[in-house]
Amino acid sequence: MTRNGDDFKAKLSQANITLNEPIKPLPLETPWFVRALQAFSGWLAALFLLGFIAMGMVFVVESPATSMGLGLVMIGAAYALLRRARSDVLEHLALAVSLAGQLLIAWALVEWWEASPYSLWSLLGWSLFGLQCVLAMVMPSQVHRVFSAFAASLALYMALAMSVMAPVASGLVLLAMTLLWLNEFRWPGRFKDVQAWGYGLLLGLLVIQWLAHSGQALPLLNDMTDSAWAGLKSWLNVALIALALLLVFLRVFQNLLSFRGRWAAYACATALLFVSFHIPSVGQGVVVLLLGFAIGHRLLVGAGVLSLLLGIGSYYYWLDSTLLMKSLTLLVIGGLLLLLRWALRQWLNTQMATQGDGSLDRDA
Amino acid sequence: MASTRRELISLIEQGVIPTEQVAHAVQASGLHPSNRAWAVFIDRLLLWLGGLALAFAVLFFVAYNWAEMGHWLRFGVVQAAMVLAVGIAIWPKASPMVQRLALTSATLLVGVLLALFGQVYQTGADPWQLFFSWAALTLPWVWVARFELLWVLWLGLLNLTVGLYFRTWGGPFGVLSSSDAALWGLFWLNTLALATWEWGARYRNWARQWAVRLLAVGSGVPMTLLTMTLIADVGLVWSPVLAVYSLWLAVLYGVYRYWWPDVFMLAGGCVSVIAVTTLLLARLLLWEGDWQEGSLMLMAIAVLAMGTGAVVWLKRLHQEASQ
């Protein structure tokens, strides 16, 4: 235990928390980029494995039922391997086998749904969403959970985009991610699982935003059908962002801020939701940023900044408004934000001066 | 923030904090920011969002190309915004954070002004000239701001300049090799920037965080693509690309294994080696072979072996670094 660790333990002891002797050796956390490398090579190996099956056992890919059966068997085998895996080799192998199995299932689903009178991509999206949700829940591997949560968010996007409801997908993913991160320590025995789902959804959210930004909502999706809810998509998206923001606020307000501070925060939130309606995807960037800061997670804060930059980039190409109107909107928003900052500084500096806590400039 | 989270998680994982007291420990750990930390955060967030919204408002306004508005008025708007930003940056009462924001906005506005110049006078200049002039004119501000983000933005402009230059003029061997030439240009630019930044971090206490990693990616991706292009085009034959790639890998290993241990950089090298080796195997076994299912299985095993080997090695290095 380092000196920082000793200080940290002392801090917890002072808060009347009984500390046990370690019952397990300290597991060394695998850095995210090593996990990413693991996922990358697993995915690459899965593609070759699938190629091997397609060439070596042609009858498998020719029959949807056989593809589905073999896919399920492979996922089952991967599950069994992951349950027993005590080495990186086995975990790696299981990941590749599972990914190849999922691709086989997806192939079988495409074959099946092609004959359906409903939209192929919508049905496929919902089916894969269900599959990935189950896998994210049951697969005993953090890398697999991250991947499945990520794939589930993309499948949801595909399913909803077919009904011209793509913005709702990002709102739903944002809400689910906010719920997970705000409750990451609620179940101490499974907090690693919750974090893995949270990372997967975060990645999914950024990719969905990038897809929306690039204007290429998955090239396959060219037979979108308007749904009765399509007219409400912007409102639904703002409502989902508002809900996510409210959850963050409720957590922050548990022990912080005065009554006036809370109302100031709600006023800022209303302004943000107004901005989100006119500048889609900026709201979600701000929510991720606030969420990251609220739970002390630097990576989430960075992702929030990235999301915000993507949001401003998307705004430039947004076709529902002229560049002149966008410019005026930004001018008003920028002016209001700086005015709000000035007002908050006046108020906060007065508060801090009365509490003997210095001023904000001390940290600037 | 990050170390508190790490300490807390390690204690929960070791079972040091009883399960029923985890929620209390999270509250007591200081993981969640205080009132004061929130105040500072919101203050900065409003400052940056507000400042950048104003700068982008000018950018969008120029992009609109309002025909009814006279040239001089348009120039006046952009120049007034730029003078205002610079004025705030040199105002003695402005805090360092405000000065940085002002210089970042001013840097963006120089680009807007150059774009407006091209728009109004139809100079016919190549896009790379715009980005090069932008980078050259803003260098003094970037230099005095001493701000990591602004340096990265500036290097981004240089990257665009190099990429667009070679797209326009091609490499020394003609337009056909323009893609390779652009990759070479990006590789040398980012490698030089990376080396300079690492030197500064070592001997001048420059901040060494995400920017160095970004530059390493900017150096590694073009080099890997060059090597993959060589393998895809002609296979594994002697070429300067191969020599530089080998040298690049050796330097990466030497520097980040011994001089300044950094597992992220080594992981990047591993990804590059896996990608290049997989392509080489694909060429030998599939393109030059006869697409047999056994070859695909062999490829899958090779990728698994390389991935596993890399993960085991990187985890060991990470463990060494943690101790």
Side-chain angles (χ1 to χ4, degrees):
Chain A
M1 184 60 72
T2 59
R3 191 180 154 195
N4 279 347
D6 291 336
D7 292 346
F8 189 71
K9 275 184 166 179
K11 193 175 179 178
L12 294 181
S13 298
Q14 280 169 6
N16 294 326
I17 294 165
T18 322
L19 298 179
N20 301 325
E21 281 303 307
I23 53 175
K24 284 187 259 181
L26 177 64
L28 193 67
E29 195 177 359
T30 309
W32 66 268
F33 44 84
V34 177
R35 288 188 190 279
L37 189 152
Q38 200 174 7
F40 165 72
S41 60
W43 173 79
L44 202 57
L47 285 183
F48 288 118
L49 205 55
L50 194 71
F52 164 73
I53 292 168
M55 285 190 73
M57 293 180 270
V58 182
F59 65 94
V60 171
V61 284
E62 281 177 347
S63 156
T66 320
S67 286
M68 175 66 80
L70 184 61
L72 288 172
V73 168
M74 288 176 82
I75 290 177
Y79 175 80
L81 266 177
L82 287 170
R83 290 277 294 179
R84 291 162 184 268
R86 293 288 176 270
S87 72
D88 289 314
V89 182
L90 282 182
E91 189 176 358
H92 227 81
L93 180 66
L95 196 64
V97 170
S98 169
L99 292 176
Q102 290 169 47
L103 288 170
L104 274 177
I105 290 179
W107 174 252
L109 289 171
V110 169
E111 294 279 309
W112 269 334
W113 297 136
E114 241 174 0
S116 160
Y118 300 104
S119 160
L120 162 71
W121 299 110
S122 181
L123 288 171
L124 183 67
W126 286 116
S127 317
L128 291 179
F129 174 67
L131 172 72
Q132 295 299 342
C133 284
V134 172
L135 292 178
M137 296 294 286
V138 301
M139 280 304 198
S141 153
Q142 301 311 324
V143 178
H144 204 304
R145 284 185 207 282
V146 172
F147 177 82
S148 292
F150 167 66
S153 57
L154 287 193
L156 179 70
Y157 173 74
M158 184 162 83
L160 286 172
M162 293 313 303
S163 317
V164 204
M165 297 284 280
V168 179
S170 56
L172 284 171
V173 174
L174 176 73
L175 184 62
M177 190 192 81
T178 307
L179 275 168
L180 285 172
W181 280 114
L182 287 177
N183 294 290
E184 63 178 322
F185 295 113
R186 183 177 286 265
W187 302 278
R190 297 204 69 181
F191 80 95
K192 282 277 173 190
D193 300 347
V194 176
Q195 288 180 337
W197 298 326
Y199 285 124
L201 292 182
L202 175 67
L203 200 59
L205 189 71
L206 291 176
V207 171
I208 290 173
Q209 200 180 355
W210 179 78
L211 283 172
H213 169 69
S214 63
Q216 297 166 353
L218 299 178
L220 299 169
L221 309 178
N222 53 5
D223 55 343
M224 294 184 185
T225 48
D226 229 343
S227 74
W229 293 86
L232 293 174
K233 65 184 177 199
S234 301
W235 289 101
L236 282 172
N237 188 33
V238 170
L240 289 165
I241 291 174
L243 201 52
L245 197 58
L246 185 69
L247 289 170
V248 176
F249 279 0
L250 288 177
R251 165 57 60 89
V252 173
F253 294 165
Q254 271 177 3
N255 14 355
L256 293 177
L257 284 182
S258 62
F259 183 74
R260 281 169 67 191
R262 291 178 187 202
W263 280 108
Y266 284 126
C268 291
T270 311
L272 174 68
L273 294 174
F274 177 75
V275 172
S276 300
F277 193 81
H278 291 277
I279 309 181
S281 76
V282 163
Q284 80 179 36
V286 175
V287 173
V288 176
L289 197 64
L290 291 175
L291 173 68
F293 191 75
I295 63 167
H297 202 313
R298 201 173 279 176
L299 187 70
L300 277 179
V301 174
V305 172
L306 189 63
S307 174
L308 262 176
L309 290 175
L310 268 173
I312 291 177
S314 309
Y315 186 51
Y316 185 85
Y317 295 104
W318 193 43
L319 296 175
D320 292 4
S321 176
T322 64
L323 278 167
L324 184 64
M325 279 312 295
K326 289 177 194 171
S327 168
L328 289 174
T329 310
L330 281 173
L331 189 71
V332 172
I333 289 170
L336 283 176
L337 288 174
L338 291 178
L339 197 68
L340 187 62
R341 175 182 181 256
W342 177 81
L344 274 174
R345 282 176 76 84
Q346 300 302 314
W347 178 61
L348 285 171
N349 276 335
T350 315
Q351 293 256 316
M352 285 175 179
T354 52
Q355 292 166 12
D357 203 15
S359 79
L360 284 173
D361 286 327
R362 208 177 70 190
D363 299 286
Chain B
M1 187 191 270
S3 87
T4 306
R5 172 168 277 277
R6 218 172 14 244
E7 297 286 354
L8 182 68
I9 286 175
S10 79
L11 291 184
I12 296 173
E13 279 188 301
Q14 286 180 94
V16 173
I17 301 173
T19 309
E20 63 282 3
Q21 288 197 301
V22 166
H24 185 196
V26 173
Q27 291 293 328
S29 65
L31 182 67
H32 298 157
S34 62
N35 263 344
R36 180 177 180 78
W38 268 111
V40 173
F41 176 73
I42 296 292
D43 181 68
R44 289 182 182 181
L45 187 64
L46 289 173
L47 176 71
W48 277 94
L49 287 180
L52 289 181
L54 291 180
F56 280 111
V58 179
L59 169 74
F60 284 32
F61 176 73
V62 168
Y64 179 66
N65 198 5
W66 197 355
E68 286 80 26
M69 196 173 184
H71 296 167
W72 291 111
L73 194 53
R74 271 191 270 173
F75 274 113
V77 168
V78 180
Q79 285 173 346
M82 208 167 71
V83 169
L84 181 69
V86 176
I88 292 172
I90 58 173
W91 188 36
K93 286 187 178 175
S95 67
M97 188 58 73
V98 172
Q99 287 174 334
R100 284 173 170 178
L101 169 68
L103 279 179
T104 306
S105 302
T107 303
L108 288 174
L109 289 168
V110 169
V112 177
L113 186 65
L114 290 170
L116 178 64
F117 190 79
Q119 187 188 74
V120 168
Y121 295 108
Q122 295 292 313
T123 56
D126 293 326
W128 72 267
Q129 289 173 312
L130 166 81
F131 290 105
F132 179 73
S133 314
W134 190 351
L137 288 172
T138 54
L139 180 60
W141 292 344
V142 177
W143 191 275
V144 297
R146 292 171 168 266
F147 183 33
E148 207 176 354
L149 174 73
L150 203 49
W151 271 114
V152 171
L153 273 177
W154 187 79
L155 285 166
L157 289 178
L158 280 190
N159 270 269
L160 273 171
T161 305
V162 169
L164 291 169
Y165 174 83
F166 286 112
R167 187 189 283 180
T168 308
W169 295 109
F173 306 108
V175 180
L176 283 178
S177 62
S178 62
S179 168
D180 278 6
L183 289 174
W184 274 118
L186 294 176
F187 167 70
W188 288 118
L189 170 68
N190 290 320
T191 307
L192 184 68
L194 175 65
T196 312
W197 204 305
E198 288 289 23
W199 175 85
R202 188 80 171 185
Y203 299 108
R204 293 281 185 274
N205 288 326
W206 292 2
R208 187 187 182 278
Q209 292 170 2
W210 55 275
V212 176
R213 292 182 168 186
L214 198 62
L215 286 175
V217 172
S219 160
V221 169
M223 194 64 248
T224 307
L225 287 177
L226 278 166
T227 314
M228 289 175 79
T229 309
L230 172 80
I231 288 172
D233 289 348
V234 289
L236 193 62
V237 294
W238 167 248
S239 150
V241 175
L242 216 55
V244 177
Y245 182 61
S246 310
L247 187 67
W248 176 77
L249 281 177
V251 172
L252 186 84
Y253 177 78
V255 169
Y256 294 111
R257 175 78 177 90
Y258 299 108
W259 187 68
W260 194 311
D262 190 331
V263 184
F264 175 88
M265 304 294 194
L266 297 173
C270 289
V271 171
S272 170
V273 170
I274 290 173
V276 168
T277 313
T278 306
L279 185 68
L280 180 64
L281 282 174
R283 185 182 174 97
L284 293 175
L285 295 174
L286 302 179
W287 305 342
E288 292 175 4
D290 48 359
W291 279 93
Q292 289 187 343
E293 58 270 24
S295 307
L296 285 161
M297 190 55 165
L298 199 63
M299 297 276 306
I301 293 170
V303 172
L304 272 176
M306 284 188 290
T308 310
V311 168
V312 169
W313 182 58
L314 291 169
K315 276 186 174 178
R316 209 181 64 209
L317 292 183
H318 179 60
Q319 195 160 19
E320 277 175 22
S322 306
Q323 286 163 358

